[in-house]
Amino acid sequence: MEKEKILSVTKPFEIRFSEVDSMGVVWHGHYSVYFEDAREEFGKKYDLGYLMMYGKGFFEPIVDLSIKYKKPLIYGMKPEITITYRPTESAKIVFDYEIRNRETGEIHVTGRTIQVFMNKDNYQLVLTNPDFYEEWKKRWEVAI
């Protein structure tokens, strides 16, 4: 049996003072921004950026976002986020996330996003994988 190919990117980041509450803890709403930063980094590395997909005629809205808080992120901590692509046959893009403390390796947050394809001309949901996405999956050997 062939080993599944894993597409993943890890990005260190800094916690800004504006992202924490009076106790120095990152406000929960900022985690979705960290996930967005990871998706942009993934897009740069694997040629799956938002502008490229828009140029092909599609939006990719998030239809499902889950975040599991295991330990708080604290101002001054040195975290990193890892994003991992999860192959699927469906017309969607699925990513898993882990935010770790770079110094201790402890996992603080995990999460997942699911994005679908919408036609940019008429805002209709696309139920089959666009040609460019099928080609992308073959290129990176993640087609199911």
Side-chain angles (χ1 to χ4, degrees):
M1 186 166 131
E2 254 184 72
K3 187 176 177 186
E4 179 182 314
K5 185 167 184 177
I6 297 174
L7 304 183
S8 187
V9 174
T10 298
K11 177 183 181 178
F13 67 97
E14 301 293 325
I15 297 170
R16 298 179 309 168
F17 183 74
S18 63
E19 297 169 342
V20 300
D21 60 20
S22 60
M23 298 172 287
V25 175
V26 171
W27 177 66
H28 68 275
H30 289 294
Y31 292 98
S32 60
V33 176
Y34 300 151
F35 288 7
E36 179 72 34
D37 291 343
R39 283 191 304 278
E40 287 187 9
E41 196 69 22
F42 184 93
K44 288 177 197 172
K45 181 173 181 178
Y46 293 106
D47 300 321
L48 193 65
Y50 290 125
L51 290 178
M52 180 278 288
M53 292 187 277
Y54 182 79
K56 301 286 185 183
F58 299 92
F59 293 116
E60 301 73 38
I62 291 175
V63 294
D64 191 9
L65 166 66
S66 65
I67 301 172
K68 293 183 181 174
Y69 306 96
K70 302 189 181 296
K71 291 186 80 169
L73 290 179
I74 307 296
Y75 184 68
M77 190 178 285
K78 305 228 180 295
E80 65 184 13
I81 185 166
T82 299
I83 180 173
T84 304
Y85 174 80
R86 293 291 167 221
T88 177
E89 290 182 42
S90 302
K92 58 186 173 184
I93 304 171
V94 180
F95 288 114
D96 290 330
Y97 306 84
E98 274 189 355
I99 298 178
R100 293 180 176 267
N101 182 324
R102 281 183 274 164
E103 295 171 339
T104 67
E106 287 181 288
I107 296 175
H108 286 254
V109 175
T110 61
R112 175 173 282 187
T113 56
I114 299 174
Q115 295 169 265
V116 296
F117 295 98
M118 289 185 74
N119 182 301
K120 78 173 185 179
D121 296 326
N122 59 13
Y123 299 94
Q124 294 298 309
L125 180 65
V126 177
L127 299 177
T128 59
N129 283 315
D131 291 341
F132 82 87
Y133 187 52
E134 284 293 337
E135 292 167 14
W136 180 88
K137 292 197 304 184
K138 288 176 187 168
R139 173 182 171 199
W140 293 102
E141 300 174 354
V142 292
I144 293 179

CSV table of all heavy atoms in Angstrom, one decimal, residues 100-132:
chain,number,residue,atom,x,y,z
A,100,ARG,N,1.4,25.3,17.9
A,100,ARG,CA,2.3,24.8,19.0
A,100,ARG,C,3.2,25.9,19.5
A,100,ARG,O,3.5,26.9,18.9
A,100,ARG,CB,3.3,23.7,18.4
A,100,ARG,CG,2.6,22.4,18.0
A,100,ARG,CD,3.7,21.5,17.5
A,100,ARG,NE,3.1,20.2,17.1
A,100,ARG,CZ,3.0,19.2,18.0
A,100,ARG,NH1,3.5,19.3,19.2
A,100,ARG,NH2,2.4,18.0,17.6
A,101,ASN,N,3.6,25.7,20.7
A,101,ASN,CA,4.7,26.5,21.3
A,101,ASN,C,6.0,26.1,20.7
A,101,ASN,O,6.4,24.9,20.9
A,101,ASN,CB,4.6,26.4,22.9
A,101,ASN,CG,5.6,27.3,23.5
A,101,ASN,OD1,6.7,27.5,23.1
A,101,ASN,ND2,5.3,27.8,24.7
A,102,ARG,N,6.7,27.0,20.0
A,102,ARG,CA,8.0,26.6,19.4
A,102,ARG,C,9.0,26.1,20.4
A,102,ARG,O,9.9,25.3,20.1
A,102,ARG,CB,8.6,27.8,18.6
A,102,ARG,CG,7.9,28.0,17.3
A,102,ARG,CD,8.6,29.1,16.6
A,102,ARG,NE,8.0,30.4,17.0
A,102,ARG,CZ,8.5,31.6,16.8
A,102,ARG,NH1,9.7,31.7,16.2
A,102,ARG,NH2,7.9,32.7,17.1
A,103,GLU,N,9.0,26.7,21.6
A,103,GLU,CA,10.0,26.4,22.6
A,103,GLU,C,9.7,25.0,23.3
A,103,GLU,O,10.7,24.3,23.7
A,103,GLU,CB,10.1,27.5,23.6
A,103,GLU,CG,10.6,28.8,23.0
A,103,GLU,CD,10.4,30.0,23.9
A,103,GLU,OE1,9.7,30.0,24.9
A,103,GLU,OE2,11.2,31.0,23.6
A,104,THR,N,8.5,24.7,23.6
A,104,THR,CA,8.2,23.4,24.3
A,104,THR,C,7.6,22.3,23.4
A,104,THR,O,7.6,21.2,23.8
A,104,THR,CB,7.2,23.7,25.4
A,104,THR,OG1,5.9,24.1,24.8
A,104,THR,CG2,7.6,24.8,26.3
A,105,GLY,N,7.1,22.7,22.2
A,105,GLY,CA,6.4,21.7,21.4
A,105,GLY,C,5.0,21.4,21.8
A,105,GLY,O,4.3,20.6,21.1
A,106,GLU,N,4.5,22.0,22.9
A,106,GLU,CA,3.2,21.7,23.3
A,106,GLU,C,2.1,22.2,22.3
A,106,GLU,O,2.3,23.3,21.7
A,106,GLU,CB,2.9,22.4,24.6
A,106,GLU,CG,3.5,21.8,25.8
A,106,GLU,CD,3.2,22.6,27.1
A,106,GLU,OE1,3.6,23.7,27.3
A,106,GLU,OE2,2.4,22.0,27.9
A,107,ILE,N,1.1,21.4,22.1
A,107,ILE,CA,0.0,21.8,21.2
A,107,ILE,C,-1.0,22.7,22.1
A,107,ILE,O,-1.4,22.3,23.1
A,107,ILE,CB,-0.8,20.6,20.7
A,107,ILE,CG1,0.1,19.8,19.8
A,107,ILE,CG2,-2.0,21.1,19.9
A,107,ILE,CD1,-0.5,18.5,19.3
A,108,HIS,N,-1.3,23.9,21.5
A,108,HIS,CA,-2.2,24.8,22.2
A,108,HIS,C,-3.6,24.8,21.5
A,108,HIS,O,-4.6,25.0,22.2
A,108,HIS,CB,-1.6,26.2,22.3
A,108,HIS,CG,-0.5,26.3,23.2
A,108,HIS,ND1,-0.7,27.0,24.4
A,108,HIS,CD2,0.8,25.9,23.2
A,108,HIS,CE1,0.5,26.9,25.1
A,108,HIS,NE2,1.3,26.2,24.4
A,109,VAL,N,-3.6,24.7,20.2
A,109,VAL,CA,-4.9,24.8,19.5
A,109,VAL,C,-4.8,23.8,18.3
A,109,VAL,O,-3.8,23.7,17.7
A,109,VAL,CB,-5.1,26.2,19.0
A,109,VAL,CG1,-6.3,26.3,18.1
A,109,VAL,CG2,-5.2,27.2,20.1
A,110,THR,N,-5.9,23.2,18.0
A,110,THR,CA,-6.1,22.5,16.7
A,110,THR,C,-7.3,23.0,16.1
A,110,THR,O,-8.2,23.6,16.7
A,110,THR,CB,-6.2,20.9,17.0
A,110,THR,OG1,-7.4,20.7,17.8
A,110,THR,CG2,-5.0,20.4,17.6
A,111,GLY,N,-7.5,22.7,14.8
A,111,GLY,CA,-8.6,23.2,14.1
A,111,GLY,C,-8.7,22.6,12.7
A,111,GLY,O,-7.9,21.8,12.2
A,112,ARG,N,-9.8,22.9,12.0
A,112,ARG,CA,-10.1,22.5,10.7
A,112,ARG,C,-10.9,23.5,10.0
A,112,ARG,O,-11.8,24.1,10.6
A,112,ARG,CB,-10.8,21.1,10.7
A,112,ARG,CG,-11.2,20.6,9.3
A,112,ARG,CD,-11.8,19.3,9.3
A,112,ARG,NE,-10.6,18.4,9.4
A,112,ARG,CZ,-10.7,17.1,9.3
A,112,ARG,NH1,-11.8,16.5,9.2
A,112,ARG,NH2,-9.6,16.3,9.4
A,113,THR,N,-10.7,23.7,8.7
A,113,THR,CA,-11.6,24.5,7.8
A,113,THR,C,-12.0,23.7,6.6
A,113,THR,O,-11.2,22.8,6.1
A,113,THR,CB,-10.9,25.8,7.3
A,113,THR,OG1,-9.7,25.5,6.6
A,113,THR,CG2,-10.6,26.8,8.5
A,114,ILE,N,-13.2,23.9,6.1
A,114,ILE,CA,-13.7,23.3,4.9
A,114,ILE,C,-14.1,24.5,4.0
A,114,ILE,O,-14.9,25.3,4.4
A,114,ILE,CB,-14.8,22.4,5.1
A,114,ILE,CG1,-14.3,21.2,6.0
A,114,ILE,CG2,-15.4,21.8,3.8
A,114,ILE,CD1,-15.4,20.2,6.5
A,115,GLN,N,-13.6,24.5,2.8
A,115,GLN,CA,-13.9,25.5,1.8
A,115,GLN,C,-14.6,24.8,0.6
A,115,GLN,O,-14.2,23.7,0.3
A,115,GLN,CB,-12.7,26.3,1.4
A,115,GLN,CG,-12.0,27.1,2.5
A,115,GLN,CD,-10.7,27.6,2.0
A,115,GLN,OE1,-9.7,27.0,2.3
A,115,GLN,NE2,-10.7,28.8,1.4
A,116,VAL,N,-15.5,25.5,0.0
A,116,VAL,CA,-16.2,25.0,-1.2
A,116,VAL,C,-15.9,26.0,-2.3
A,116,VAL,O,-15.3,27.0,-2.1
A,116,VAL,CB,-17.7,24.9,-1.0
A,116,VAL,CG1,-18.0,23.8,0.1
A,116,VAL,CG2,-18.4,26.2,-0.6
A,117,PHE,N,-16.2,25.6,-3.5
A,117,PHE,CA,-16.0,26.4,-4.7
A,117,PHE,C,-17.3,27.1,-5.1
A,117,PHE,O,-18.4,26.4,-5.1
A,117,PHE,CB,-15.5,25.6,-5.9
A,117,PHE,CG,-14.2,25.0,-5.6
A,117,PHE,CD1,-14.0,23.7,-5.2
A,117,PHE,CD2,-13.0,25.7,-5.8
A,117,PHE,CE1,-12.8,23.1,-5.0
A,117,PHE,CE2,-11.8,25.2,-5.6
A,117,PHE,CZ,-11.6,23.9,-5.2
A,118,MET,N,-17.3,28.4,-5.4
A,118,MET,CA,-18.4,29.1,-5.9
A,118,MET,C,-18.0,29.8,-7.2
A,118,MET,O,-16.8,30.3,-7.2
A,118,MET,CB,-18.9,30.1,-4.9
A,118,MET,CG,-19.6,29.5,-3.7
A,118,MET,SD,-20.3,30.8,-2.6
A,118,MET,CE,-21.7,31.3,-3.6
A,119,ASN,N,-18.8,29.8,-8.1
A,119,ASN,CA,-18.6,30.5,-9.4
A,119,ASN,C,-18.6,32.0,-9.1
A,119,ASN,O,-19.6,32.5,-8.5
A,119,ASN,CB,-19.7,30.1,-10.4
A,119,ASN,CG,-19.5,30.7,-11.7
A,119,ASN,OD1,-19.4,32.0,-11.9
A,119,ASN,ND2,-19.3,29.9,-12.8
A,120,LYS,N,-17.5,32.7,-9.5
A,120,LYS,CA,-17.5,34.1,-9.2
A,120,LYS,C,-18.4,35.0,-10.0
A,120,LYS,O,-18.7,36.1,-9.6
A,120,LYS,CB,-16.0,34.7,-9.4
A,120,LYS,CG,-15.6,34.9,-10.8
A,120,LYS,CD,-14.2,35.6,-10.8
A,120,LYS,CE,-13.9,35.9,-12.2
A,120,LYS,NZ,-12.6,36.6,-12.4
A,121,ASP,N,-18.9,34.5,-11.1
A,121,ASP,CA,-19.8,35.2,-12.0
A,121,ASP,C,-21.2,35.3,-11.5
A,121,ASP,O,-21.9,36.3,-11.6
A,121,ASP,CB,-19.8,34.7,-13.4
A,121,ASP,CG,-18.4,34.9,-14.0
A,121,ASP,OD1,-17.7,35.9,-13.7
A,121,ASP,OD2,-18.0,34.0,-14.8
A,122,ASN,N,-21.7,34.1,-10.9
A,122,ASN,CA,-23.1,34.1,-10.5
A,122,ASN,C,-23.3,33.6,-9.1
A,122,ASN,O,-24.4,33.3,-8.6
A,122,ASN,CB,-24.0,33.3,-11.5
A,122,ASN,CG,-23.5,31.8,-11.6
A,122,ASN,OD1,-22.7,31.4,-10.8
A,122,ASN,ND2,-24.0,31.1,-12.5
A,123,TYR,N,-22.2,33.5,-8.3
A,123,TYR,CA,-22.2,33.1,-6.9
A,123,TYR,C,-22.9,31.7,-6.7
A,123,TYR,O,-23.5,31.5,-5.6
A,123,TYR,CB,-22.8,34.2,-6.0
A,123,TYR,CG,-22.0,35.5,-6.1
A,123,TYR,CD1,-22.4,36.5,-7.0
A,123,TYR,CD2,-21.0,35.7,-5.3
A,123,TYR,CE1,-21.7,37.6,-7.1
A,123,TYR,CE2,-20.2,36.9,-5.4
A,123,TYR,CZ,-20.6,37.8,-6.3
A,123,TYR,OH,-19.9,39.0,-6.3
A,124,GLN,N,-22.8,30.8,-7.6
A,124,GLN,CA,-23.4,29.5,-7.5
A,124,GLN,C,-22.4,28.5,-6.9
A,124,GLN,O,-21.2,28.5,-7.3
A,124,GLN,CB,-24.0,29.0,-8.8
A,124,GLN,CG,-25.1,29.9,-9.4
A,124,GLN,CD,-26.3,29.8,-8.4
A,124,GLN,OE1,-26.8,28.8,-8.0
A,124,GLN,NE2,-26.8,31.0,-8.1
A,125,LEU,N,-22.9,27.6,-6.1
A,125,LEU,CA,-22.0,26.6,-5.5
A,125,LEU,C,-21.7,25.6,-6.7
A,125,LEU,O,-22.5,25.3,-7.5
A,125,LEU,CB,-22.8,25.8,-4.4
A,125,LEU,CG,-22.1,24.7,-3.8
A,125,LEU,CD1,-20.9,25.1,-3.0
A,125,LEU,CD2,-23.1,23.9,-2.9
A,126,VAL,N,-20.4,25.2,-6.7
A,126,VAL,CA,-19.9,24.3,-7.8
A,126,VAL,C,-19.8,22.9,-7.1
A,126,VAL,O,-19.1,22.7,-6.1
A,126,VAL,CB,-18.6,24.8,-8.3
A,126,VAL,CG1,-18.0,23.8,-9.3
A,126,VAL,CG2,-18.7,26.2,-8.9
A,127,LEU,N,-20.5,22.0,-7.7
A,127,LEU,CA,-20.6,20.6,-7.0
A,127,LEU,C,-19.6,19.6,-7.5
A,127,LEU,O,-19.5,18.5,-7.0
A,127,LEU,CB,-22.0,20.1,-7.3
A,127,LEU,CG,-23.2,20.9,-6.6
A,127,LEU,CD1,-24.5,20.3,-7.0
A,127,LEU,CD2,-23.0,21.1,-5.1
A,128,THR,N,-18.8,20.0,-8.5
A,128,THR,CA,-17.8,19.1,-9.0
A,128,THR,C,-16.4,19.9,-9.0
A,128,THR,O,-16.4,21.1,-9.0
A,128,THR,CB,-18.0,18.6,-10.5
A,128,THR,OG1,-18.1,19.8,-11.3
A,128,THR,CG2,-19.3,17.8,-10.6
A,129,ASN,N,-15.4,19.2,-8.8
A,129,ASN,CA,-14.1,19.8,-8.8
A,129,ASN,C,-13.8,20.6,-10.0
A,129,ASN,O,-13.9,20.0,-11.1
A,129,ASN,CB,-13.0,18.8,-8.5
A,129,ASN,CG,-12.9,18.3,-7.1
A,129,ASN,OD1,-13.0,19.1,-6.2
A,129,ASN,ND2,-12.8,17.0,-6.9
A,130,PRO,N,-13.4,21.8,-9.9
A,130,PRO,CA,-13.0,22.6,-11.1
A,130,PRO,C,-11.8,21.9,-11.8
A,130,PRO,O,-11.0,21.3,-11.1
A,130,PRO,CB,-12.6,24.0,-10.6
A,130,PRO,CG,-13.3,24.1,-9.3
A,130,PRO,CD,-13.4,22.7,-8.7
A,131,ASP,N,-11.6,22.1,-13.1
A,131,ASP,CA,-10.5,21.5,-13.8
A,131,ASP,C,-9.2,21.8,-13.2
A,131,ASP,O,-8.3,21.0,-13.0
A,131,ASP,CB,-10.5,21.8,-15.3
A,131,ASP,CG,-11.7,21.2,-16.0
A,131,ASP,OD1,-12.3,20.2,-15.5
A,131,ASP,OD2,-12.0,21.7,-17.1
A,132,PHE,N,-9.0,23.1,-12.9
A,132,PHE,CA,-7.7,23.5,-12.3
A,132,PHE,C,-7.4,22.8,-11.0
A,132,PHE,O,-6.2,22.5,-10.7
A,132,PHE,CB,-7.6,25.1,-12.1
A,132,PHE,CG,-8.2,25.5,-10.9
A,132,PHE,CD1,-7.5,25.6,-9.7
A,132,PHE,CD2,-9.6,25.9,-10.8
A,132,PHE,CE1,-8.1,26.0,-8.5
A,132,PHE,CE2,-10.2,26.3,-9.6
A,132,PHE,CZ,-9.4,26.4,-8.5
